[in-house]
Amino acid sequence: MDPRDFLDGEAALDGDDDDESFDEEDGPKKSALNGALEDSSEEEEDDDDEEAARAIREGFIVDEDEDEEEEVQERGQRRRRDRKRRREERAREEEGLDEEDLDLIGEANADFEPRAPAEPKFKRLKRGHRQDEDRAVSRGLENMFSDEDDQDGQDYAKDRPGRFRSEHRGLDDELDDFIEEDDLTDEEERYRRQEAREVARSRGEGFGAEAAKASGLDDEALEIMHAAFGTGEEYDWALEMEDEMDENAVAEQALELKDVFEPSQLAEKMLTERDDIIRVTDEPERFQLWRQPYKHITLTEEQFREEAAWISRMMPKRHVPENLREPFLRAVAKVLEFFVTDEVEVPFIFQYRKDYLIHTTKVPITPDPANPNAPEYVVRAEKLLNQNDLWQIFEYDLKFRGLIEKRESLQRTYDRLHEQSGVADPLFEDMLPSAETMEELQDLQDYLYFQHASHLKDAKLMNGDANGTLRRPGSQKSLYERIRNGKVYGFVRAFGITADAFARNVLKDGRRHYTEDPTALPEDLADGQAVLDPPEFATGTQVMKASKVMLAEEIAANPKMRRALRQAYYMAGVVESYRTEKGLKKIDDQHPYHEFKYLRNQQLSDIARQPDMYLKMLKAEEEGLVEVRIRLQNHEEFQRQLFNVFASDNYSEIADAWNAQRKDVLEMALSKLKIIMTKGVKDNLKSRCEDEIAAACREEYTKKLDQAPFKPAGMAVGTIPRVLALSAGAGVPGRDAICWAWLEEDGRVLENGKFTDLRFDEKSKRDFVELVQRRKPDVIGVSGFTVETRRIATDVQKIVEEADLRGAEFEDPDTGEDQSRKLDVVIVNDEVARLYHTSERAATDHPSVPPLTRYCIALGRYLQDPMKEYAALGKDIVSISFHPSQQLLPQEKVMKQLETAMVDLVNLCGVDINEALGDQSEANLLPYICGLGQRKALSMLKAISANGGLVMSRADLAGDRATGRTPVVDPRVWNNCASFLYVEYDATDPASDYLDNARVHPEDYELGRKIAADALELDEEDVKAETDEAGPGAVVRRLLKEDAQDKVNDLILEEYAEQLERNFNQRKRATLETIRAELQQPYEELRRHFALLTTDEIFTMLTGETRETLAVGMIAPVSVKRVLNRERQLEVTLDCGIIGLIYEDNISDRLNSDVALTQVFAPHQTLQAKILSLNRASFEAELSLREDDLRRPHRKQFDRMREEWDEVQEEQDRELLKEKNRETGRTQRVIKHPLFRPFNSAQAEEYLGSQARGDAVIRPSSRGLDHIAITWKVSDNVYQHIDVLELDKENEFSVGRTLKIGGKYTYSDLDELIVLHVKAMARKVDEMTMHEKYQSGTKAETERWLTTYTEANPKRSAYAFCIDPKHAGYFILCFKAGQKAKLQYWHVKLGPNAFELKDNLYPDMTALCNGFKLLYSNMSLPRR
């Protein structure tokens, strides 16, 4: 039988040996498997485990513990029945005798007739196994990687149930687990065990009654035999104990989610043990997540006061006047108390503790005789902290905890050092308590491990309490210890000043220490026996060199010296950028890195104002294009000042000689310190710049969130409109259909459809008018992917004008008459809709409508409430660009800033908790409520559903034992979230409390009722009567019933506030104002009006271009759309879709007027044109083809001072590049093809970055005029550069008639090459990425997935494909043959018609998978 018959699919393997092999290597060779895996015979347990695993995978069960327990019990019972059955079978077998026993008995019995000699069973079995082995190898190796259960294999297993056990068993175990095939059935298992017992008996067989009868022995003979051989039941007790232990183990081995799913899957679904802890812990979820690294840190009272002062100094952009510094410090300390002691989040503090963020003073006023009742003073309020400051304080609290952790770690190390070795270091003891930054603590750590390395050899001291921050001194430190403890250190002392004294001089810390000179020259002193220390330091030269190195290292390690240098660098440091050899070629005038290619002398303060540029510089340095250097201004002067306080003031030959040695020491020390300082300053500056851009992202996101629903004319702010949304997507109106969707106020899509053309198709116009008149929308939203969207919006606006389509009627506030206005036509921001319409969420929400209609639905919902649409994105929010340099930041930092912005706005608006139970868009807001998070929000919704599915009041969330309601959240979390979850007030329900529907915290309900009572002028008896009759909310209910809310404006709340502060020490002035406002209009819409897109925003949305990427003066490729002979004009389009006109005067100087333009230009021809003017509102441009215009390239202008740009180096590099171009003979080519671009490889990659996979660019080649290069996009950030050899060329500038790639593929023109080679390979990429075995992550992530999978499934093996980003055109096949096997990988090369693996070609993925399995099988077979 052909082995390929076992392979799944219809793919045929290409066995041609004559095919050319690919040029690149196949990848690293893999070694054979290291031994065989240990076999496990517990197939029955695996059967049950797999059944449970499949059950859980189908529904991702998270809360069916009872079902799991029942399954475990059922499995245990089934196993016990199986064991009982096997014991019975064993007992029956033991009643019979085998041939050897009968022969043994017959030797003692004369009447016994021996049986005829027969072939030993063992030999028969052995031969049978050898036959089974041949078949089993064929079956196992050919189907080891099968992705489906093989029915033939199952039939074969039934025919030959015995699994062979031989030297190949380990290999079989490894290979047959690459497929997820079912384990043996109970019947097959029983056959296998029975055969194993026949091969070798592991226990002695008994002698039963039937055997005795067959042997013809009497009772006496049987008794003698039992005495000699036993009855076979002596060890039954051990077997029973073994069975009982197995049963107990099975019962205890309950299947858990972690046994079935990967850790990454559990983490994604928030089902890990840590997630469970977060759910049940009574602490805000964000606090638990963000404080996780420092949860073991507990601050003392003294540290708490220190933290408040530290944060006050560290907060950026905080210029506090002298008279407000003390109130500011108290405000910071109070906020920390709220965070740490009360455990309340930022929205709670900002909303209900606002008085502590404001400093008020009473300013007396001059009495007015005309107004004797006028107040004696006015209250002046100064805002100390805003909401952004509160988030910064929380972030600084985390940083301070990290600071305390490292400080305490160092203190513990020093204390143990002092206790065990008696070490006392005044410098360390003095500087540790005052260290304010991680840099200073790191300085102290380096100093401690340098200065006392000999005492820190104890491993407990080295690693005991450092939490991974302390390190063991290396061999270099051992050298310094030998110098310090030897005679050579005497020469170090001879320098006349210690490192610490020198550092104090630099810092001007105390009295100056003067340097003393020895009485001998350095060379003479070094040759003396007092300092020579052979054999390592046997000469004076060695002594001097070692001493200078030692003193330089002491200076460099001194924390005071580092502090002085750090201060100097931050005050006088400058940043400079130097291009590398690679950057010389790659960074041209149009490159985004050109703005800093020759940047010099940038002050740190200047860099801080351009954070995006600095991060680009670091990115360019990472790519090897530039080198970012930081140096001190006037470094020579600074070094001279240091030398003055280091050198001796004496005038003599000896003093001069020693000062020369001291100068060498200083230079050595500064060179070491420069490396340390430069790295520290660069890292610190990078962190600050990242924080600046992250804050800018947060600010931009806040603007997007701070939008109320679109407000049609006459409607109140916050009213949700009915929306009709339209879009043609990327289509062209008139050729492609326009999809539309109609949304009600609650977001439901009641109707959708398509229009043909709203400009020329009269039927479509009539249908549109009929739809609007029937549905009566409040606003019409339009958007799309191209500039054609502007045309659609214009067409719709024209129809609205012609048909006089109007919105809903409303009462004119001036005249009181009903009126209406024409419908608004709005171009909608589609950044959310673009992410939504192709997502799995959209397909789940609206499975029956096309993606473009889903896009329209998202546009409509954005008009109804932008915040809900952004919240629904979840983690995908980072896909939206809020800053041009956002991609340079760590995603976690951006995500955290965006989350805080969402938290602020969601808590400003509140969430209707009952609506969240049934509306997913409202439920998406719940995790951002104060105190909650993803885990606690889901837990809350489940708990409410368990309580009946309806919340009647905020008190219900805290639970009520009397009514049997269980708490939904714990007390601290309830205190955080209660006021931001509102319950709609029902005037007809006496139990409904108006304040539950307001921005009033339950702790302030009594204040609200007091204000209402005073507004109604009720005394205490009246209030008591009302509350006794109708409950606590009766007074507020009466205020509403009498429509007397305006009366609260007559109350003077200042007296209330003073009384509360005086009697209860509560500052509630701002809270009282909030209550007054909420009594008049609860949860009033406080967001800004819906922001319509500006002209620039619409231009960027529809073209993808900004003012930086497309501007007047730039040269851009254009495609000829129409040639207008009569007008002598060219109508062209830019890549972004903008329509351009080229007038006759701008075409060419050499074009004669009698030459028709059609003779020179043709539609779809690609040209290079210069932009002369650009109208961003109409998406039109005027361009020029004149050669003199094209010769003047566009250069972005930068505001630089002369000393900030190295013009000399720039000119030298320009000449150098010209010289290189002359040497290589490279000439700029122009090829008439729509895909041609005059790019180099870097520009081609940048251009294709925003294009789709499979798009390509044809460009000039650096290999000469007989080559062209094609760059095509394989995947995100993966581009393949293909070298094309041109043959049969008419001239050196024309394209060859024969195009060859790699000497293997031949094409006749560029179009054929693009279609049959590039597009074909792109289809192969799609085929690979759509396959179930493809992993979208990196090679490391794929290997982790394989490791996790095989750990969760020890008996299985797995393989997966992933892309190789380092070698474009290659994929990596990673596989792991079992849990204990090594990870291996092979390279898969991409071809236009096939995949290549190990020099074999496979036409599709099915053939590739089968071929891999066959190749691995052949490699794994033992050699004979």
Side-chain angles (χ1 to χ4, degrees):
M1 179 182 292
D2 192 322
R4 284 172 288 181
D5 294 340
F6 288 100
L7 300 179
D8 46 280
E10 298 294 333
L13 298 177
D14 188 353
D16 252 343
D17 294 332
D18 299 331
D19 288 346
E20 276 190 48
S21 62
F22 286 78
D23 298 331
E24 284 79 4
E25 296 179 359
D26 293 323
K29 297 182 180 180
K30 299 301 175 184
S31 60
L33 297 173
N34 297 328
L37 297 178
E38 186 175 333
D39 179 39
S40 172
S41 60
E42 297 177 356
E43 282 88 347
E44 293 174 297
E45 294 181 16
D46 289 340
D47 266 341
D48 300 324
D49 290 349
E50 284 302 313
E51 291 172 6
R54 282 194 294 271
I56 293 181
R57 285 195 189 97
E58 289 174 1
F60 209 89
I61 303 170
V62 296
D63 56 354
E64 297 183 4
D65 296 332
E66 296 179 1
D67 295 342
E68 292 180 5
E69 293 175 2
E70 292 175 2
E71 290 179 9
V72 173
Q73 293 175 1
E74 183 179 349
R75 275 200 311 275
Q77 294 173 0
R78 188 161 60 248
R79 292 189 180 93
R80 285 192 290 273
R81 289 196 300 268
D82 292 340
R83 286 191 176 86
K84 182 178 180 181
R85 184 180 67 249
R86 289 194 293 272
R87 283 199 301 270
E88 293 175 353
E89 292 174 355
R90 187 164 58 244
R92 286 195 297 269
E93 292 170 359
E94 290 171 350
E95 291 178 357
L97 294 175
D98 63 6
E99 297 172 3
E100 296 176 5
D101 291 335
L102 292 175
D103 291 339
L104 182 62
I105 296 170
E107 293 176 359
N109 189 347
D111 299 331
F112 180 80
E113 283 187 25
R115 299 168 60 93
E119 186 177 5
K121 180 188 292 186
F122 180 79
K123 291 184 178 180
R124 291 198 307 272
L125 287 173
K126 187 173 182 181
R127 182 158 48 248
H129 280 303
R130 198 170 290 121
Q131 296 169 359
D132 288 353
E133 177 181 338
D134 294 338
R135 296 185 60 182
V137 169
S138 176
R139 186 265 184 272
L141 294 179
E142 297 301 333
N143 290 275
M144 61 185 174
F145 290 101
S146 175
D147 298 317
E148 300 176 0
D149 293 328
D150 191 344
Q151 186 62 37
D152 294 339
Q154 293 176 0
D155 296 340
Y156 172 77
K158 293 177 181 178
D159 295 339
R160 300 298 303 269
R163 293 288 185 99
F164 65 89
R165 293 291 183 270
S166 66
E167 65 271 16
H168 304 316
R169 177 59 201 170
L171 176 62
D172 185 41
D173 287 344
E174 286 184 347
L175 299 183
D176 60 13
D177 283 332
F178 266 97
I179 62 171
E180 297 185 7
E181 58 184 1
D182 295 330
D183 293 333
L184 296 177
T185 63
D186 292 345
E187 188 75 15
E188 294 170 328
E189 173 68 10
R190 187 163 61 253
Y191 286 154
R192 190 192 62 77
R193 291 176 180 269
Q194 181 177 350
E195 181 176 333
R197 284 197 298 270
E198 292 174 357
V199 175
R201 295 175 181 267
S202 59
R203 300 180 178 90
E205 295 183 346
F207 194 77
E210 293 182 4
K213 184 177 180 181
S215 64
L217 299 178
D218 56 14
D219 292 341
E220 184 177 355
L222 285 174
E223 188 174 350
I224 295 173
M225 188 195 68
H226 287 164
F229 298 103
T231 62
E233 299 176 356
E234 289 81 359
Y235 298 99
D236 281 355
W237 60 273
L239 297 176
E240 292 174 0
M241 287 182 62
E242 180 183 354
D243 291 341
E244 185 177 351
M245 291 173 63
D246 291 342
E247 293 172 5
N248 293 336
V250 170
E252 293 173 359
Q253 189 180 0
L255 190 63
E256 299 180 3
L257 290 175
K258 64 182 180 181
D259 299 326
V260 180
F261 298 100
E262 300 177 39
S264 59
Q265 291 178 301
L266 294 177
E268 181 182 357
K269 297 291 184 180
M270 294 177 292
L271 295 173
T272 63
E273 295 180 0
R274 182 190 175 201
D275 294 318
D276 293 337
I277 293 173
I278 292 174
R279 285 188 189 91
V280 301
T281 302
D282 187 16
E283 182 183 355
E285 183 169 323
R286 274 173 287 276
F287 279 12
Q288 295 186 61
L289 292 174
W290 295 347
R291 286 176 174 171
Q292 177 68 24
Y294 314 110
K295 63 180 181 180
H296 58 284
I297 302 294
T298 303
L299 301 181
T300 63
E301 288 293 332
E302 182 179 354
Q303 289 173 338
F304 193 80
R305 289 192 295 270
E306 179 190 356
E307 179 182 11
W310 181 80
I311 292 177
S312 301
R313 292 191 300 271
M314 291 292 174
M315 287 186 67
K317 298 181 181 179
R318 179 55 60 184
H319 177 68
V320 182
E322 185 68 31
N323 62 318
L324 294 179
R325 288 184 181 178
E326 188 62 30
F328 179 76
L329 178 59
R330 288 198 302 268
V332 172
K334 198 65 181 177
V335 170
L336 288 173
E337 180 183 337
F338 294 144
F339 283 147
V340 178
T341 305
D342 298 344
E343 290 189 339
V344 291
E345 283 202 83
V346 167
F348 182 94
I349 299 173
F350 187 73
Q351 185 69 32
Y352 302 110
R353 300 293 184 265
K354 191 176 295 184
D355 294 88
Y356 295 94
L357 313 179
I358 301 172
H359 178 63
T360 58
T361 54
K362 294 181 179 179
V363 180
I365 59 176
T366 304
D368 184 5
N371 187 9
N373 296 326
E376 299 177 357
Y377 57 86
V378 294
V379 177
R380 179 178 299 169
E382 297 279 355
K383 183 181 289 187
L384 301 174
L385 297 169
N386 57 34
Q387 201 160 1
N388 290 344
D389 294 332
L390 299 183
W391 286 112
Q392 284 188 7
I393 292 173
F394 181 77
E395 193 67 30
Y396 275 109
D397 175 53
L398 299 180
K399 292 181 180 179
F400 185 79
R401 290 169 183 267
L403 198 72
I404 290 297
E405 180 185 34
K406 184 155 189 173
R407 183 195 294 176
E408 291 179 346
S409 173
L410 287 172
Q411 185 64 56
R412 286 193 298 269
T413 302
Y414 180 75
D415 291 343
R416 292 180 184 175
L417 187 65
H418 179 71
E419 292 173 4
Q420 296 185 12
S421 303
V423 171
D425 193 320
L427 174 63
F428 186 88
E429 295 174 358
D430 176 58
M431 294 195 67
L432 183 62
S434 61
E436 290 192 340
T437 64
M438 294 298 284
E439 292 172 322
E440 293 182 352
L441 288 175
Q442 187 62 45
D443 293 344
L444 287 168
Q445 176 178 307
D446 294 342
Y447 168 78
L448 187 68
Y449 280 86
F450 169 76
Q451 197 69 23
H452 306 288
S454 61
H455 301 292
L456 288 171
K457 297 301 182 183
D458 185 357
K460 183 178 180 181
L461 284 175
M462 299 299 297
N463 304 315
D465 296 309
N467 291 328
T469 60
L470 304 183
R471 54 182 173 81
R472 182 182 299 276
S475 59
Q476 188 67 17
K477 297 294 178 65
S478 299
L479 171 64
Y480 297 135
E481 283 301 310
R482 292 197 300 273
I483 295 174
R484 184 182 288 114
N485 299 328
K487 294 193 297 183
V488 179
Y489 201 74
F491 193 90
V492 177
R493 297 190 187 95
F495 279 92
I497 189 170
T498 64
D500 185 53
F502 173 46
R504 291 178 183 274
N505 288 347
V506 176
L507 283 175
K508 298 180 181 180
D509 182 10
R511 184 173 59 85
R512 177 177 174 179
H513 299 264
Y514 291 94
T515 306
E516 299 293 336
D517 292 320
T519 58
L521 291 171
E523 294 79 3
D524 297 338
L525 185 62
D527 290 331
Q529 294 300 318
V531 295
L532 290 176
D533 195 0
E536 191 171 5
F537 310 107
T539 66
T541 303
Q542 292 175 335
V543 169
M544 291 178 63
K545 182 178 179 180
S547 299
K548 288 193 290 185
V549 169
M550 182 67 192
L551 184 56
E553 190 66 28
E554 287 184 338
I555 294 174
N558 187 277
K560 287 184 180 291
M561 191 65 194
R562 290 191 180 185
R563 177 181 291 181
L565 262 292
R566 190 171 287 113
Q567 291 175 357
Y569 266 87
Y570 280 119
M571 292 178 62
V574 293
V575 179
E576 297 180 332
S577 173
Y578 291 85
R579 58 87 183 155
T580 62
E581 285 298 320
K582 182 179 178 183
L584 171 65
K585 300 176 182 178
K586 284 204 168 187
I587 304 178
D588 57 16
D589 292 350
Q590 305 302 318
H591 198 281
Y593 294 161
H594 185 263
E595 62 176 321
F596 52 79
K597 185 177 182 180
Y598 303 103
L599 192 65
R600 304 287 190 269
N601 297 318
Q602 287 291 297
Q603 302 282 346
L604 296 186
S605 57
D606 297 334
I607 289 293
R609 288 191 292 268
Q610 305 176 75
D612 51 342
M613 186 184 72
Y614 181 70
L615 293 182
K616 288 180 184 177
M617 292 169 65
L618 296 182
K619 181 67 175 176
E621 184 177 44
E622 182 183 333
E623 295 173 2
L625 301 179
V626 301
E627 181 185 354
V628 180
R629 302 177 188 173
I630 296 180
R631 65 172 179 85
L632 275 175
Q633 283 181 319
N634 302 320
H635 176 76
E636 294 78 9
E637 176 63 21
F638 179 75
Q639 184 171 340
R640 186 185 63 79
Q641 294 175 1
L642 292 180
F643 182 72
N644 288 340
V645 297
F646 185 50
S648 168
D649 295 335
N650 299 326
Y651 294 95
S652 66
E653 180 183 359
I654 294 176
D656 292 343
W658 278 100
N659 281 341
Q661 299 298 321
R662 294 182 186 113
K663 187 176 181 180
D664 293 343
V665 170
L666 182 60
E667 290 177 352
M668 293 170 61
L670 289 179
S671 65
K672 293 177 179 292
L673 286 169
K674 180 182 177 181
I675 298 173
I676 299 172
M677 294 300 108
T678 299
K679 183 180 185 304
V681 172
K682 286 175 68 173
D683 291 345
N684 194 14
L685 195 57
K686 176 184 178 183
S687 178
R688 291 187 180 184
C689 290
E690 287 179 349
D691 291 341
E692 285 290 326
I693 295 180
C697 292
R698 183 185 191 279
E699 183 179 355
E700 182 65 24
Y701 189 36
T702 300
K703 292 179 182 178
K704 294 177 182 292
L705 295 175
D706 192 13
Q707 298 182 82
F710 180 84
K711 178 186 173 301
M715 287 191 178
V717 179
T719 304
I720 298 178
R722 295 167 297 183
V723 181
L724 175 63
L726 304 93
S727 178
V732 178
R735 189 182 66 190
D736 301 301
I738 300 173
C739 293
W740 59 269
W742 161 262
L743 285 80
E744 274 288 354
E745 294 98 328
D746 57 2
R748 290 180 299 137
V749 183
L750 299 185
E751 193 175 355
N752 66 85
K754 296 180 180 179
F755 297 122
T756 302
D757 184 14
L758 294 178
R759 175 170 291 187
F760 301 110
D761 187 9
E762 295 299 328
K763 182 178 182 303
S764 294
K765 292 183 180 180
R766 290 194 301 271
D767 292 344
F768 176 81
V769 172
E770 185 275 332
L771 174 66
V772 172
Q773 292 174 344
R774 174 166 52 87
R775 286 297 186 181
K776 300 187 181 305
D778 298 314
V779 61
I780 298 175
V782 180
S783 198
F785 307 148
T786 67
V787 296
E788 296 294 338
T789 302
R790 169 65 75 178
R791 173 187 159 181
I792 298 176
T794 304
D795 294 343
V796 172
Q797 186 68 54
K798 185 177 180 180
I799 296 174
V800 169
E801 295 287 342
E802 292 175 350
D804 194 24
L805 301 177
R806 295 180 173 269
E809 292 186 346
F810 60 93
E811 182 180 340
D812 191 327
D814 298 329
T815 63
E817 298 179 356
D818 290 341
Q819 65 171 5
S820 62
R821 295 184 184 176
K822 287 190 171 106
L823 275 174
D824 293 309
V825 179
V826 179
I827 294 182
V828 188
N829 186 342
D830 72 338
E831 59 188 7
V832 177
R834 292 195 187 205
L835 294 175
Y836 174 79
H837 79 290
T838 56
S839 66
E840 294 182 2
R841 180 166 61 93
T844 303
D845 295 343
H846 308 283
S848 60
V849 300
L852 190 55
T853 303
R854 298 170 190 160
Y855 174 82
C856 295
I857 294 170
L859 294 177
R861 289 180 174 168
Y862 188 91
L863 284 168
Q864 291 182 333
D865 196 336
M867 185 174 68
K868 287 185 178 180
E869 290 305 292
Y870 285 114
L873 290 178
K875 294 181 179 180
D876 291 337
I877 189 64
V878 293
S879 301
I880 295 177
S881 177
F882 300 99
H883 190 279
S885 301
Q886 177 180 329
Q887 73 280 0
L888 299 176
L889 273 62
Q891 186 170 313
E892 297 77 13
K893 181 172 286 190
V894 177
M895 190 69 197
K896 189 173 184 179
Q897 289 289 333
L898 299 182
E899 182 177 357
T900 60
M902 178 65 78
V903 169
D904 287 345
L905 268 296
V906 169
N907 287 278
L908 176 69
C909 301
V911 171
D912 186 337
I913 185 61
N914 286 315
E915 186 178 347
L917 290 169
D919 184 358
Q920 185 59 44
S921 64
E922 190 81 7
N924 291 332
L925 303 176
L926 203 57
Y928 302 100
I929 286 293
C930 184
L932 302 182
Q934 294 287 345
R935 300 157 188 80
K936 288 186 180 292
L938 291 174
S939 179
M940 170 182 279
L941 293 177
K942 290 183 179 181
I944 293 174
S945 299
N947 281 344
L950 183 64
V951 178
M952 302 299 297
S953 68
R954 286 169 173 164
D956 288 352
L957 300 176
D960 187 356
R961 294 182 179 179
T963 60
R965 286 181 174 270
T966 58
V968 174
V969 289
D970 292 322
R972 284 189 184 274
V973 176
W974 180 86
N975 183 56
N976 272 275
C977 70
S979 58
F980 303 106
L981 301 174
Y982 61 85
V983 181
E984 189 174 352
Y985 173 67
D986 185 1
T988 62
D989 184 3
S992 182
D993 194 333
Y994 175 86
L995 295 179
D996 282 337
N997 190 36
R999 289 186 182 91
V1000 181
H1001 196 276
E1003 69 180 10
D1004 297 323
Y1005 277 10
E1006 290 302 320
L1007 291 178
R1009 292 160 184 162
K1010 171 66 174 171
I1011 291 175
D1014 289 349
L1016 293 172
E1017 299 181 355
L1018 301 178
D1019 55 23
E1020 293 184 4
E1021 290 78 8
D1022 297 334
V1023 172
K1024 186 176 185 304
E1026 290 281 348
T1027 55
D1028 290 344
E1029 179 181 352
V1035 177
V1036 178
R1037 192 178 297 111
R1038 178 176 171 179
L1039 182 73
L1040 300 176
K1041 187 176 181 181
E1042 296 180 6
D1043 198 17
Q1045 296 97 313
D1046 292 342
K1047 291 183 178 181
V1048 298
N1049 293 324
D1050 300 331
L1051 300 177
I1052 302 176
L1053 300 180
E1054 190 64 38
E1055 297 179 0
Y1056 286 102
E1058 291 179 355
Q1059 185 177 2
L1060 287 171
E1061 187 170 4
R1062 183 171 55 253
N1063 297 336
F1064 303 100
N1065 196 28
Q1066 295 180 359
R1067 300 170 65 177
K1068 293 283 187 179
R1069 181 67 180 84
T1071 302
L1072 292 173
E1073 286 292 348
T1074 300
I1075 294 173
R1076 171 153 58 185
E1078 291 298 308
L1079 286 174
Q1080 298 177 74
Q1081 188 172 353
Y1083 263 104
E1084 178 186 5
E1085 180 61 74
L1086 299 179
R1087 289 176 291 180
R1088 297 177 304 156
H1089 288 282
F1090 187 89
L1092 298 178
L1093 294 177
T1094 64
T1095 299
D1096 279 1
E1097 289 172 340
I1098 294 175
F1099 184 84
T1100 299
M1101 181 182 75
L1102 299 181
T1103 65
E1105 304 286 356
T1106 65
R1107 290 189 177 273
E1108 288 72 30
T1109 59
L1110 189 68
V1112 173
M1114 289 185 175
I1115 298 175
V1118 298
S1119 177
V1120 178
K1121 184 178 181 182
R1122 287 194 301 170
V1123 180
L1124 306 175
N1125 268 326
R1126 181 180 300 177
E1127 294 84 357
R1128 302 289 292 177
Q1129 297 175 4
L1130 295 179
E1131 185 177 330
V1132 299
T1133 57
L1134 279 74
D1135 288 341
C1136 60
I1138 293 177
I1139 301 297
L1141 286 176
I1142 303 176
Y1143 297 104
E1144 182 179 13
D1145 294 342
N1146 295 324
I1147 293 179
S1148 177
D1149 292 331
R1150 296 177 292 179
L1151 184 65
N1152 296 327
S1153 58
D1154 56 347
V1155 176
L1157 294 182
T1158 52
Q1159 296 179 0
V1160 182
F1161 304 101
H1164 307 298
Q1165 182 179 352
T1166 301
L1167 306 169
Q1168 295 293 317
K1170 187 168 188 175
I1171 302 174
L1172 301 180
S1173 65
L1174 180 63
N1175 189 327
R1176 295 177 182 272
S1178 61
F1179 297 90
E1180 295 176 345
E1182 182 182 347
L1183 303 104
S1184 172
L1185 298 177
R1186 295 170 61 93
E1187 295 179 0
D1188 55 341
D1189 289 334
L1190 296 177
R1191 278 197 296 265
R1192 297 193 303 270
H1194 175 266
R1195 295 191 63 180
K1196 187 177 179 181
Q1197 299 298 320
F1198 302 103
D1199 296 331
R1200 305 283 189 211
M1201 302 292 289
R1202 180 176 296 275
E1203 63 274 7
E1204 294 179 348
W1205 192 262
D1206 194 340
E1207 296 178 354
V1208 175
Q1209 184 66 49
E1210 182 180 23
E1211 185 61 29
Q1212 291 176 354
D1213 287 351
R1214 189 176 290 115
E1215 293 298 326
L1216 181 61
L1217 287 175
K1218 288 181 181 179
E1219 181 64 26
K1220 288 186 176 181
N1221 287 337
R1222 282 193 295 267
E1223 291 176 359
T1224 58
R1226 184 174 179 180
T1227 306
Q1228 183 68 38
R1229 292 185 64 182
V1230 177
I1231 299 174
K1232 292 183 179 181
H1233 193 277
L1235 297 181
F1236 176 77
R1237 299 290 186 273
F1239 292 161
N1240 57 28
S1241 59
Q1243 292 171 325
E1245 292 181 3
E1246 182 182 357
Y1247 171 78
L1248 292 171
S1250 59
Q1251 306 297 316
R1253 183 167 61 199
D1255 286 355
V1257 165
I1258 302 172
R1259 58 184 180 83
S1261 174
S1262 60
R1263 296 192 175 186
L1265 296 177
D1266 58 346
H1267 288 260
I1268 57 175
I1270 297 179
T1271 301
W1272 70 284
K1273 185 174 182 179
V1274 182
S1275 184
D1276 290 340
N1277 300 318
V1278 181
Y1279 309 92
Q1280 185 178 29
H1281 305 283
I1282 302 175
D1283 178 55
V1284 180
L1285 175 63
E1286 301 175 81
L1287 301 175
D1288 194 15
K1289 294 168 64 75
E1290 291 184 359
N1291 55 64
E1292 62 179 0
F1293 297 106
S1294 64
V1295 179
R1297 296 187 180 93
T1298 301
L1299 305 176
K1300 302 201 72 171
I1301 297 178
K1304 193 171 184 180
Y1305 305 100
T1306 304
Y1307 304 100
S1308 60
D1309 56 36
L1310 287 172
D1311 290 331
E1312 183 184 19
L1313 184 149
I1314 294 295
V1315 172
L1316 298 183
H1317 195 92
V1318 177
K1319 296 299 181 183
M1321 287 199 295
R1323 287 192 293 272
K1324 287 299 177 186
V1325 174
D1326 292 337
E1327 183 181 354
M1328 170 69 77
T1329 56
M1330 295 298 292
H1331 195 264
E1332 61 180 1
K1333 291 295 184 181
Y1334 179 76
Q1335 293 285 324
S1336 58
T1338 63
K1339 176 175 176 285
E1341 292 171 345
T1342 303
E1343 290 177 347
R1344 284 196 297 271
W1345 181 87
L1346 291 174
T1347 302
T1348 305
Y1349 181 86
T1350 51
E1351 287 176 353
N1353 304 273
K1355 292 189 175 183
R1356 299 181 181 275
S1357 304
Y1359 68 99
F1361 298 91
C1362 65
I1363 197 166
D1364 186 351
K1366 295 182 180 179
H1367 303 91
Y1370 281 84
F1371 288 86
I1372 303 175
L1373 169 57
C1374 304
F1375 55 96
K1376 195 171 189 292
Q1379 180 185 12
K1380 298 181 181 179
K1382 290 175 58 178
L1383 274 165
Q1384 302 184 64
Y1385 66 91
W1386 294 347
H1387 278 85
V1388 178
K1389 185 176 180 180
L1390 193 64
N1393 302 311
F1395 301 101
E1396 181 179 356
L1397 177 66
K1398 294 291 183 182
D1399 295 331
N1400 296 303
L1401 299 179
Y1402 303 100
D1404 52 35
M1405 286 300 297
T1406 301
L1408 176 63
C1409 294
N1410 290 337
F1412 158 61
K1413 299 166 191 175
L1414 187 60
L1415 287 172
Y1416 190 85
S1417 302
N1418 294 335
M1419 292 177 59
S1420 303
L1421 283 174
R1423 296 184 179 181
R1424 298 183 179 233

